[in-house]
């Protein structure tokens, strides 16, 4: 008759089989995680590209408006292929934009002050005229 295999070997086989299955399970988990990560990365890349496109459009529009105000100094020149991921381009650009906004603010303040002074003069004018006509003329 057939002899049963030595029990020791069977136990080792079982152990090896378990290890192999654990390895396969871990490998499948890795693949799943990697696939999920790749998918997330692709989604993020798409979102980032959209964000960059929208931001670039907004920046170019803002520059167009700022550049149209000649009182704010020379126009800021940028390439239409403006790369917002390049900090060598973005940082100086932001500084130039900030400068224009500061000038804009200064101009608005000046205009407000001028308006305020003008309205004070307008209100004061009738009183001054009356005072002047009442004052005796030195001849």
């Amino acid at each position: 008759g057939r002899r049963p295999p030595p029990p020791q070997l069977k136990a080792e086989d079982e152990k090896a089989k378990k290890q192999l299955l654990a390895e396969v399970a871990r490998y499948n988990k890795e693949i799943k995680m990697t696939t999920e990560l790749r998918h997330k990365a692709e989604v993020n890349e798409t979102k980032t590209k959209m964000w960059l496109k929208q931001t670039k459009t907004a920046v170019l529009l803002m520059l167009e408006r700022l550049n149209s105000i000649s009182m704010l100094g020379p126009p800021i020149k940028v390439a239409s292929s403006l790369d917002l991921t390049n900090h060598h381009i973005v940082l100086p650009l932001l500084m130039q934009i900030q400068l224009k906004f500061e000038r804009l603010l200064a101009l608005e303040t000046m205009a407000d002050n001028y308006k305020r002074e003008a309205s004070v003069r307008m209100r004061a004018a009738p009183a001054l005229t009356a005072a002047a006509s009442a004052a005796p003329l030195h001849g």
Side-chain angles (χ1 to χ4, degrees), residues 95-121:
M95 286 170 78
Q96 285 179 289
I97 289 173
Q98 188 183 350
L99 209 65
K100 286 224 182 243
F101 273 115
E102 282 169 3
R103 284 196 191 129
L104 190 61
L105 208 61
L107 284 173
E108 282 180 349
T109 307
M110 279 167 58
D112 284 349
N113 290 343
Y114 182 77
K115 267 188 236 156
R116 207 176 300 115
E117 283 168 18
S119 71
V120 166
R121 275 198 301 274

Side-chain angles (χ1 to χ4, degrees), residues 1-138:
R2 281 185 308 166
R3 270 191 314 174
Q8 192 189 2
L9 189 67
K10 194 171 182 200
E12 276 177 13
D13 275 353
E14 202 59 42
K15 199 175 163 188
K17 191 172 136 188
K18 266 190 187 153
Q19 272 183 329
L20 191 65
L21 285 173
E23 201 65 36
V24 168
R26 204 175 78 218
Y27 182 67
N28 282 337
K29 205 166 130 188
E30 286 286 326
I31 285 182
K32 194 174 170 227
M33 273 172 59
T34 307
T35 307
E36 281 173 10
L37 281 174
R38 190 184 305 126
H39 178 67
K40 270 187 194 157
E42 282 167 2
V43 168
N44 284 341
E45 190 185 10
T46 306
K47 279 184 184 170
T48 303
K49 278 183 180 163
M50 271 176 59
W51 181 85
L52 281 170
K53 196 179 168 200
Q54 289 167 347
T55 306
K56 180 180 153 181
T57 305
V59 167
L60 291 175
L61 195 68
M62 180 171 61
L63 284 177
E64 206 177 291
R65 287 182 181 159
L66 284 174
N67 287 343
S68 71
I69 307 170
S70 57
M71 287 176 82
L72 298 183
I76 298 171
K77 289 184 179 72
V78 290
S80 55
S81 62
L82 177 65
D83 179 10
L84 293 175
T85 61
N86 184 343
H87 70 276
H88 294 296
I89 293 172
V90 173
L91 287 179
L93 177 61
L94 286 176
M95 286 170 78
Q96 285 179 289
I97 289 173
Q98 188 183 350
L99 209 65
K100 286 224 182 243
F101 273 115
E102 282 169 3
R103 284 196 191 129
L104 190 61
L105 208 61
L107 284 173
E108 282 180 349
T109 307
M110 279 167 58
D112 284 349
N113 290 343
Y114 182 77
K115 267 188 236 156
R116 207 176 300 115
E117 283 168 18
S119 71
V120 166
R121 275 198 301 274
M122 289 290 285
R123 276 200 302 270
L128 287 173
T129 312
S133 60
L137 289 172
H138 296 289

